[in-house]
Structure formats: structure tokens, C-alpha cells
Amino acid sequence: MKQAARDELSGGIAFDPQDTWLEWIASIDHKQIGTMYLAGAFVFFLAGGIEALLMRTQLIVPNNHFLSPEVYNQIFTMHGTTMVFLVLVPMLIGFSTYLVPLMIGANDMAFPRMNALSFWVQIMGGILLYFSFMTGGVNGGAPAAGWFSYAPLSEKAYSLGPGVDYWALGLLAIGVGTLTAAINLVVTIICMRVPGMTIQRLPLFVWMTLVNSVLIVTAMPLLNAALVMLLIDRQLNAHFFNPAGGGAALLWQDVFWAFGHPEVYIMILPAFGIISEVIPVFSGKPIYGYEFVAASTLAIAFLSLAVWAHHMFAVGLGHAFDLFFAGSSMLIAIPTGVKIFNWTSTMWGGRVRFTTAMLFSLGFLVMFTIGGLSGVAVAVVPIDWQVTDTYFVVAHIHYVLFGGAVFALFSGVYYWFPKMSGRLLSEQWGKAHFWLTLIGFNLTFLIQHQLGLLGMPRRVFTYPALPGWETMNMLSTIGAYLLGISVLVFIWNLWISLRHGAVAGDNPWGAWTLEWAVSSPPPERNFARVPPVHGRRPLWDLAHPDRADELVKAKR
Amino acid sequence: MPEYSANASVFHPLSPAASAISALFIGTLIFLAVILALVTFLVIWFIIRFRDRPGAPEPVQTYGWKALEIAWTVIPAACLVVLFIFMAITMHRSDPPVGTRTPDLIVIAHQWWWEAEYLQSGVVAANEIHIPVGRPLLLELRSGDVIHDFWVPQLARKVDVVPGHPNHLWLEASIPGTYLGACAEFCGTEHAWMRIFVVAQAEPEFEQWVRQQLVIPPAPSAEEASKGAAIFQKRTCANCHTIEGTAANQRIGPDLTHLAARRIIAAGAAENTPANLSLWLKDPDIFKPGSHMPNLKLKNDEVRALVAYLETLK
């Protein structure tokens, strides 16, 4: 912990610097806060994962009585809410908080205290949300209106207990934390870059974090406003979203998805950033088409603000309205495709090293392509009319958010764990982890496309024994158990590697961005001296002064 | 579950509207599969061809090629324009404009069952809609509480049923049969058991069904059944349900005038057999925990009498 903070906290009273718990809790160091973000999000990942396994266990056979419908509905609501707001977003913010200052040659975030505030508010929001499980009573328990809590189901008349209130208050706190974290990242990236680190030389991870943070600042207030309106409806008997009192049920959907669809990109853009760092390093080549990868990110962020009503094709808004949002949703496939082609082309002519980090990135490339393409399918209005609210869509979102975001996160963990801990994760266990994840993931979700096409709606606590449904649901559940085992393998890998892993050294992968110039783990004050930055790959330039990037490009 | 069309797949459409969607869907999937195959092939080819081998030289550092970037921006964009055009055509075909036509049928979604009122004949049905083959009926969809969604995959697109925002849907079947559908929008505790059956019949049989539905069932003559009829009025059953020709005229729960002619009870949670009906009356939670049908703690002989009565309501 920084001396200044120590003094402030202790208020002049004798203070034991060995007290490590207090050191972490009181920390304003971006590396410690980043680590806590990752650890906190991992705990929620386990909670959300257990909820997923409970759901799949309930669905393993038709007409099952393992969970009651009330409990099942709470569990799927909490699974979605947890994975979106308490796992994917905080985990990506955690990586950004840890890595952005290091990558741009800064010693900390622009607002270190606000950084700590963001994290703790976010965690408290998560605890508030989970506390709802302990509110017993007749109408008690966790929220059960789904992660997008459609009104009027989420209104007092149909959700009597306090669950939805906990949901709204928890998300409000999480929203404030996420918003402040994003502002902090934007200011850090704009103001704290080392001389030479121009906007056009930023590592792509930083680029994507910047765009992502701007997107958070744009979209998150919409959610916060919607949540406040919902709370006013529920607590003060207003009727923003209550048609019985003159409100509009569809207003909630408009406001929620105007936030909710940018949110989908908020969960994937930093993952794109991770992929854009990992693939070049393990191909031994700079990213193909840097400018196009960066610019396509901007295009995605911009378009993502105008696609939300593709979640509402079935609500009956009229064909003209549907056509507009279908068009904008299709457009977004173009910059996404540009990225996929650039990542793939980076490997052409390279020297591809199959580390676990690279395997997860390669897995991402194909899995995310599947999710992206099924996304094009559901952007086509008549197809959406058939498959929306079915298991086809469940499969689609999991190919994007698990096959996409989670694969990228695992790639990032294997890539940066040595920097953060000073030790390498075991490659043997890592590869076991990768293959189990890949097989388990596809077994769970590929088949769900077919279930949706056969007419299985999503969010059903049980289903009739229709032909084919039993076998497919059984296989999907087995896949989910495999995924559960893969997470255990990952935890084991973390456990043994933290103790006995090979010592990493400063730059175990031969990478080129600034975080690899400092020791592993980095010192409290990041840089005694920042290496000179003349291009996009400062450490490459340092190692090959005769073949520095800018020289090679100038010669052409 | 009773007999119904076994293959409820969206790729097994049995109406012009659903067929139009299915054709577009298949075309789109083929197009998308080609792209997926291309990307997968390139990834696999590159990682095999350029895998790290001992003694391999350092790769040539390349930074991109603008012409290629433009190509893989413009070509997908052109493909999407084509897709967009096909989409617009299919939207018109699978969901033709309603204009000022009055609906044939009002469908009201409730937590967790469907009510259907035929405007011309005045028939009121629940959870089972009969339609004549080859003649599209216009449905107006209303909600009695939260948002639901009307979906019969083989016959038509899905439409949300939104309170305060009535929607319309053309429902048609090309061949006779029983088609399974469901509520597709999460609507609370028993969302899973909010199924719907669409029974498509040739025109004469459909007319026959309408006439049957309009007959007011006579008061039961058998002893057991008339005991049941009295219990129905005395206990709280009559506070929620309608049976034409009796004092029971409430529409909180399904209209039971022709209950015995239906295939399912509890919106698909069970087949309509005397045994299932007894269980349902004794404890609705057995089939549908959380449903709004209360447990009246009926005695066994009361249940027997009620079932005997309800079985007369053909």
C-alpha cells in the first residue's frame, strides 16, 4: 500500500504494515484493486456456475421435481444477473484496471481513490443482490423476473416479495461502481500516457478499453434511470411501466435494451482487446491491420447504440421499425467480421506457439464466429420471430458470452497470470483445462440450437417428454457437468501454480508491450524508468533497433 | 400428452407463413455455414502451416494490406444487402398487413392459461384453439396480466402478448392435425406449463365443433353428477369459472362449459382424463405448483362427484 494512504488511514496512530488484510482493503494501488476485481468476479463466477449446474440438473429429465418452479426462476434470474453484472463486466474492468496503467507507462490510475470506491461499491452491490436469498417468508427469496426483469412482471402486483427491489438496488450500486470505473479509465488513458505513447500507438487492449469505457459512460445511465423508475413504481406506487395505471410495459424494454445491447458489447470489447494482444505475441508478428482493428471497434461501439430493438422484434412494433433495427444489427456484423479476418491473418506467415493462452484465443476465434453468425441469423426479423425466447437464443448468447468473452478471459488469465503472480500457470493442467472447456462448452450449447428449433422455450423449469427433447437435454446437462469439472481443473492449476509454478521472469512470452518491461509481479511503483516509446511495440523496437516497426514501415 | 403433430420443428412448417420463414431460415443458414467453414478452414490451415517448428526462422514482420481490408469489408456488406432484401420480402409474406379487418378470434393470455373467444359464433375456449384448414383466421392477442407470447412453431411467427398493446396474428394450417404451441415469454412461476393446442380441422368438422361448443350442456341426471353440480355452485368453483346454463358465470379461470371435450387440463400440464382431473382437484400443485387454482381441500367423495359432473360437460 502507498505510504500516503497508510498515513491517512492510521491517522497518525501506530499501524502495523504487516496487516495484509487491511493492506488489501485500504489499497488504492491499481494492481491490488485489479487483482481484487478479478478475484471477486471469480467468486461470483463460481456462484453463477453453481446456479447453472442446478438449472441443468433440473432439466436433465422431463417433468423433474429437483427444483420447484419458484426456486428455478430465482436461480435462472440470479445466474443471468450474476454472469452479466458481477462476472463478465468486473472481470474485464479488473484486467483493464491492472493492465492499462502498465501498458501506457503510468504508475497508477488517474483517480486512485475513486478506483477503490468503484470496486467496493460494485462488490457491495453484489452482496446486496445475493442477500435477497436470505429474505425468507411467504413471498421472499431472490428476484425471479429474469435478468432483464420485464415489466409488468417485475411490478409489485406480480412480484410481491422484496426480490426485485434487491435486484434493482444491487444493480444500481453495481452500475455506479461500473460507471466510475469507466470514467477513471477514460481519464487515465487520455491523460496519463507516457511521452511517445500517442493514441495511434496504444496497445489494442488499451484502445478497446477506451472505447468500451466511453460506451459504459454512454449506456449505463440508462440502466440506472430505468432502475430508479422501477423502484418508484414498486415503492411509491407510480406506474411508469404499469399499463393498468396508464404506464407502458414496452417503455421498460426500450430503456432497458437501449442500455442492454451496448452492455453486450461492453462485455465483449475488452475481450477483443485480450485476443488482439495474445494472437500477435504467439504468432511472432504484429497485429494485422492495426488501424482497421481499432477503427472497427469504434464502429461497433457506435452502431451498438442503435440496435437495441432487435430484442423486441416479437412485441409488435410494426415492420418499418423492425426493418430499421434489423438493418443496423446486420451492419454491426461487418466490423466484427473485419476483426475476425484480421486476427486470423495475423497468423499467416507467423510462428504459432500453442500455449494455453493461444489455445483459448484460437478457441475464441471459432466459437465467437459461431455466436456472431447465429447473431446475424437472429437479426433477420422473420427468423427472430421463430427463434426468439427459445433455446436457440440461449445457445446464441452463450456462444457470444462464453465461447467469446469467457474464452478470451481464460486466454488473458493464462497470458497475464505470470505478470501478476511472478509464476507461470502449469501448461499441462492448462491444456487439460482448455480441452475440457471446449468439449464441455460445445456439448452443452451446440445442441441447444436444435432444442430451440424444435420449439423449446427458454426459462421453463421443466418440459414435456417430447421426441428428442429428453436425449438432447440430457446431453446438454452432461456437457454442463464437464464444464464444472473444467473449472475445478482451473482452480487446481491456480492453486499449485501459485505455490510451485515455474518462475516467470519479466517477459516469459517474448511480448512487446510495456507491462512486460517491469518485474513480475510489478513493483509497487510501476516504472523506475519507462522504456522509450517510438512505435506500437516498444520492447520489439528495443530488442531490434535496426528493424524497429516505424523504420520497417518507413522503408516501404 | 395427447396426440399431436410429433415434429414441432420450425423446419417442418405447415402453413404458408411458416413455410416462408422456414425457406428464408434455411437459405440464411447455408450462407452462414459457408462463412463458418471458411473461417474455421483458415484458422486450422494457418495453425498447421505456420506452427512453431524447431529452427523455424523469425517470421517476416507484416502490418496489413489495405486492399484486403477493403475487400473483407465490402464483400460481406454486399451479401448482407441481399439478405436484407430477402428478409423484407419474407416479412411481408409471413406477416401480411391486417388493415382494418376485424379479428375472427380474440385470444387473451392469463397467468398461466389461454382464453379464446370466437367473435362470430361467440364460442369461448381455453388452451385449445380449433381452426378450419386452409382459411387464415385473424387473431387479436390481449393480455390479462403480464407479457406472454403466443407461439405455434409449425403454423406462424411468434407474437408477444403485451398488456395495453393488442397485437394481431394470422393463424392458418395447410393440413388437418393437432399442433403444439407454448407461451414463449417468461411470465412467472408456471411459464413452463402454459401450452397451447391448435386443432386444424376440415371446414365441415370445424363447423361441427362450433355447433357442439354452442350447445348448453343439460343438467346432469345421474345422482353422483348432480351432487357434483351442487358442489360446484356451493364451493368456490363458481367464483372463478363459467358453466353455461348455470349460475356460474365468472371468467377469472377457464370457461368449463365444454371441459370434457378438451384434450388437456392445466394448460398442458396433464392429459384430460378422469384420473388426472381428480388429482388436479385434490391438489393443483401436483401438476402445476404455484398455479392460481386454489387447493380447496376437497374430500374424496366431493372430488368423485365433481369429476362425475365435469365429465358430463361434453
Side-chain angles (χ1 to χ4, degrees), chain A residues 93-143:
Chain A
I93 289 180
F95 270 115
S96 299
T97 304
Y98 195 107
L99 294 167
V100 162
L102 285 164
M103 285 181 154
I104 62 174
N107 282 325
D108 207 323
M109 299 281 282
F111 308 116
R113 277 180 185 72
M114 190 161 92
N115 198 14
L117 176 82
S118 306
F119 168 72
W120 288 108
V121 169
Q122 189 262 132
I123 282 288
M124 292 306 163
I127 293 170
L128 191 60
L129 179 65
Y130 267 79
F131 185 77
S132 63
F133 272 119
M134 286 185 275
T135 57
V138 184
N139 300 311

Side-chain angles (χ1 to χ4, degrees), chain A residues 23-39:
Chain A
E23 181 185 320
W24 281 88
I25 289 171
S27 175
I28 53 168
D29 171 44
H30 76 98
K31 296 180 290 296
Q32 283 182 318
I33 294 172
T35 309
M36 288 192 291
Y37 260 116
L38 293 174

Side-chain angles (χ1 to χ4, degrees), chain A residues 63 65 69-70 73 76-77 144-146 148 150-153 158 243 249-250 253 283-292 313-317 319 322-324 326-327 330-331 333-334 337-338 340-342 344-345 347-354 362 365-366 369-370 373-374 376-377 379-390 392 452-467 469 512 537 540 544 547-549 552-553 556, chain B residues 1 4 6-11 18 21 24-25 28-29 31-33 35-36 38-40 42-43 45-53 55-66 68-70 72-74 76-77 80-81 83-84 86-88 90-92 94-97 111 144-147 149 151-165 167 180 182-193 195 268-269 286-287 289-290:
Chain A
N63 299 308
H65 294 289
E70 289 89 354
N73 295 343
F76 85 68
T77 300
F148 36 79
Y150 273 1
L153 183 62
Y158 304 104
L250 295 182
Q253 296 192 20
S283 303
K285 285 177 62 212
I287 184 85
Y288 199 83
Y290 173 99
E291 294 83 355
F292 293 88
F313 285 157
V315 304
L317 295 170
H319 286 191
D322 289 351
L323 279 169
F324 172 85
M330 285 182 182
L331 278 183
I334 298 169
V338 166
I340 298 276
F341 288 126
N342 276 302
T344 309
S345 306
M347 297 186 290
W348 174 262
R351 224 168 78 188
V352 179
R353 286 182 281 162
F354 296 112
L362 292 170
L365 264 187
V366 178
T369 301
I370 297 176
L373 292 174
S374 63
V376 173
V380 176
V381 179
I383 297 179
D384 187 81
W385 285 341
Q386 280 289 21
V387 298
T388 187
D389 284 316
T390 71
F392 188 92
L453 297 174
L454 285 178
M456 181 160 166
R458 68 195 281 205
R459 300 175 156 189
V460 287
F461 76 95
T462 191
Y463 51 92
L466 298 171
W469 287 34
W512 309 300
R537 297 189 296 168
W540 166 275
H544 308 86
R547 288 186 290 133
D549 283 341
V552 175
K553 273 194 262 178
R556 281 212 255 136
Chain B
M1 287 241 136
Y4 54 86
N7 184 353
S9 167
V10 302
F11 291 135
I21 298 179
L24 176 74
F25 201 163
T28 308
L29 281 186
F31 163 63
L32 298 176
I35 301 176
L36 177 63
L38 176 74
V39 171
T40 313
L42 289 177
V43 169
W45 179 25
F46 290 2
I47 61 177
I48 292 174
R49 169 104 155 69
F50 299 106
R51 68 186 183 279
D52 188 21
R53 276 172 277 214
E58 184 169 86
V60 179
Q61 303 295 300
T62 54
Y63 303 90
W65 181 26
K66 210 171 268 177
L68 198 54
E69 301 283 350
I70 291 167
W72 62 45
T73 307
V74 173
L80 288 175
V81 169
L83 185 58
F84 188 87
F86 280 113
M87 174 184 84
T90 309
M91 282 169 76
H92 194 78
S94 59
D95 189 36
Q111 280 181 326
D145 36 54
V146 301
I147 300 177
D149 187 291
W151 187 39
V152 185
Q154 288 179 280
L155 301 186
R157 58 163 289 191
K158 196 186 265 108
V159 186
D160 280 1
V161 186
V162 185
H165 178 98
N167 279 324
L180 187 55
C183 171
E185 184 68 76
F186 179 65
C187 55
T189 313
E190 277 295 342
H191 167 57
W193 289 123
R195 296 212 152 254
I286 293 174
F287 293 125

Side-chain angles (χ1 to χ4, degrees), chain A residues 171-488:
Chain A
L171 287 198
L172 209 50
I174 295 166
V176 169
T178 308
L179 199 54
T180 50
I183 293 169
N184 207 348
L185 283 164
V186 172
V187 177
T188 304
I189 295 168
I190 290 176
C191 303
M192 308 279 284
R193 283 167 290 128
V194 76
M197 182 65 80
T198 62
I199 287 284
Q200 286 174 22
R201 288 178 185 163
L202 284 178
L204 281 170
F205 179 78
V206 180
W207 242 108
M208 311 241 175
T209 299
L210 176 62
V211 175
N212 192 51
S213 304
V214 172
L215 199 55
I216 291 177
V217 175
T218 318
M220 199 56 97
L222 284 163
L223 173 68
N224 292 352
L227 292 171
V228 170
M229 286 194 275
L230 180 62
L231 280 170
I232 292 174
D233 269 13
R234 288 180 59 86
Q235 297 295 332
L236 305 175
N237 301 316
H239 35 71
F240 287 108
F241 309 123
N242 189 359
L250 295 182
L251 176 65
W252 168 266
Q253 296 192 20
D254 268 316
V255 184
F256 185 88
W257 288 119
F259 146 81
H261 207 82
E263 172 79 354
V264 173
Y265 291 93
I266 289 167
M267 289 184 278
I268 199 75
L269 287 183
F272 288 169
I274 293 171
I275 300 299
S276 304
E277 298 300 324
V278 171
I279 289 185
V281 166
F282 294 111
S283 303
K285 285 177 62 212
I287 184 85
Y288 199 83
Y290 173 99
E291 294 83 355
F292 293 88
V293 177
S296 59
T297 308
L298 273 177
I300 290 173
F302 180 73
L303 288 170
S304 78
L305 294 167
V307 298
W308 78 85
H310 68 208
H311 295 268
M312 302 164 64
F313 285 157
V315 304
L317 295 170
H319 286 191
F321 196 84
D322 289 351
L323 279 169
F324 172 85
F325 283 96
S328 60
S329 307
M330 285 182 182
L331 278 183
I332 222 165
I334 298 169
T336 314
V338 166
K339 282 187 159 33
I340 298 276
F341 288 126
N342 276 302
W343 289 322
T344 309
S345 306
T346 302
M347 297 186 290
W348 174 262
R351 224 168 78 188
V352 179
R353 286 182 281 162
F354 296 112
T355 57
T356 308
M358 184 64 170
L359 287 178
F360 271 108
S361 280
L362 292 170
F364 165 96
L365 264 187
V366 178
M367 297 303 112
F368 180 73
T369 301
I370 297 176
L373 292 174
S374 63
V376 173
V378 293
V380 176
V381 179
I383 297 179
D384 187 81
W385 285 341
Q386 280 289 21
V387 298
T388 187
D389 284 316
T390 71
Y391 262 83
F392 188 92
V393 168
V394 175
H396 161 68
I397 53 174
H398 283 91
Y399 268 87
V400 174
L401 295 180
F402 197 124
V406 174
F407 270 62
L409 280 164
F410 278 131
S411 180
V413 168
Y414 280 90
Y415 183 61
W416 281 299
F417 182 87
K419 178 51 63 188
M420 296 173 176
S421 70
R423 288 180 190 276
L424 293 160
L425 280 166
S426 152
E427 282 291 311
Q428 281 79 26
W429 285 112
K431 279 170 185 157
H433 173 210
F434 169 75
W435 287 108
L436 268 174
T437 309
L438 188 73
I439 295 165
F441 168 74
N442 281 293
L443 188 56
T444 311
F445 294 109
L446 195 59
I447 225 159
Q448 293 185 356
H449 290 108
Q450 178 64 9
L451 274 171
L453 297 174
L454 285 178
M456 181 160 166
R458 68 195 281 205
R459 300 175 156 189
V460 287
F461 76 95
T462 191
Y463 51 92
L466 298 171
W469 287 34
E470 297 191 61
T471 324
M472 284 191 273
N473 274 295
M474 171 91 64
L475 285 174
S476 182
T477 301
I478 292 169
Y481 291 155
L482 273 182
L483 274 179
I485 295 169
S486 81
V487 173
L488 293 180

Side-chain angles (χ1 to χ4, degrees), chain B residues 5-298:
Chain B
S5 163
N7 184 353
S9 167
V10 302
F11 291 135
H12 193 242
L14 289 170
S15 77
S19 301
I21 298 179
S22 174
L24 176 74
F25 201 163
I26 290 169
T28 308
L29 281 186
I30 291 170
F31 163 63
L32 298 176
V34 170
I35 301 176
L36 177 63
L38 176 74
V39 171
T40 313
F41 167 74
L42 289 177
V43 169
I44 292 173
W45 179 25
F46 290 2
I47 61 177
I48 292 174
R49 169 104 155 69
F50 299 106
R51 68 186 183 279
D52 188 21
R53 276 172 277 214
E58 184 169 86
V60 179
Q61 303 295 300
T62 54
Y63 303 90
W65 181 26
K66 210 171 268 177
L68 198 54
E69 301 283 350
I70 291 167
W72 62 45
T73 307
V74 173
I75 295 171
C79 294
L80 288 175
V81 169
V82 176
L83 185 58
F84 188 87
I85 293 167
F86 280 113
M87 174 184 84
I89 295 168
T90 309
M91 282 169 76
H92 194 78
R93 275 198 197 145
S94 59
D95 189 36
V98 172
T100 52
R101 201 187 132 151
T102 46
D104 300 294
L105 193 54
I106 306 243
V107 173
I108 306 169
H110 301 269
Q111 280 181 326
W112 295 277
W113 61 284
W114 302 91
E115 182 176 4
E117 189 178 344
Y118 291 74
L119 285 188
Q120 238 178 359
S121 58
V123 167
V124 178
N127 302 322
E128 233 179 81
I129 294 179
H130 287 243
I131 58 170
V133 163
R135 178 154 65 89
L137 294 192
L138 182 62
L139 272 57
E140 180 172 309
L141 298 147
R142 296 183 192 161
S143 168
D145 36 54
V146 301
I147 300 177
H148 301 272
D149 187 291
F150 184 93
W151 187 39
V152 185
Q154 288 179 280
L155 301 186
R157 58 163 289 191
K158 196 186 265 108
V159 186
D160 280 1
V161 186
V162 185
H165 178 98
N167 279 324
H168 293 86
L169 175 74
W170 293 103
L171 193 63
E172 180 183 0
S174 306
I175 57 167
T178 301
Y179 305 102
L180 187 55
C183 171
E185 184 68 76
F186 179 65
C187 55
T189 313
E190 277 295 342
H191 167 57
W193 289 123
M194 190 166 162
R195 296 212 152 254
I196 192 157
F197 278 71
V198 174
V199 182
Q201 297 166 304
E203 197 82 49
E205 286 163 46
F206 173 71
E207 295 301 337
Q208 166 69 26
W209 176 81
V210 171
R211 277 195 300 277
Q212 174 66 30
Q213 291 284 309
L214 289 172
V215 173
I216 293 171
S221 48
E223 190 192 339
E224 181 93 276
S226 34
K227 218 173 93 193
I231 294 170
F232 190 92
Q233 301 296 336
K234 205 169 66 196
R235 301 295 299 255
T236 45
C237 310
N239 292 1
C240 292
H241 295 284
T242 294
I243 295 181
E244 294 289 344
T246 75
N249 62 356
Q250 293 300 306
R251 286 180 71 172
I252 294 165
D255 184 318
L256 302 178
T257 312
H258 297 281
L259 173 68
R262 290 183 199 144
R263 295 148 204 239
I264 48 168
I265 52 171
E271 207 172 328
N272 189 6
T273 63
N276 283 344
L277 202 53
S278 310
L279 284 172
W280 174 243
L281 293 175
K282 270 185 87 71
D283 182 5
D285 280 2
I286 293 174
F287 293 125
K288 207 167 171 180
S291 81
H292 294 320
M293 168 92 170
N295 182 346
L296 296 176
K297 315 262 189 234
L298 296 166

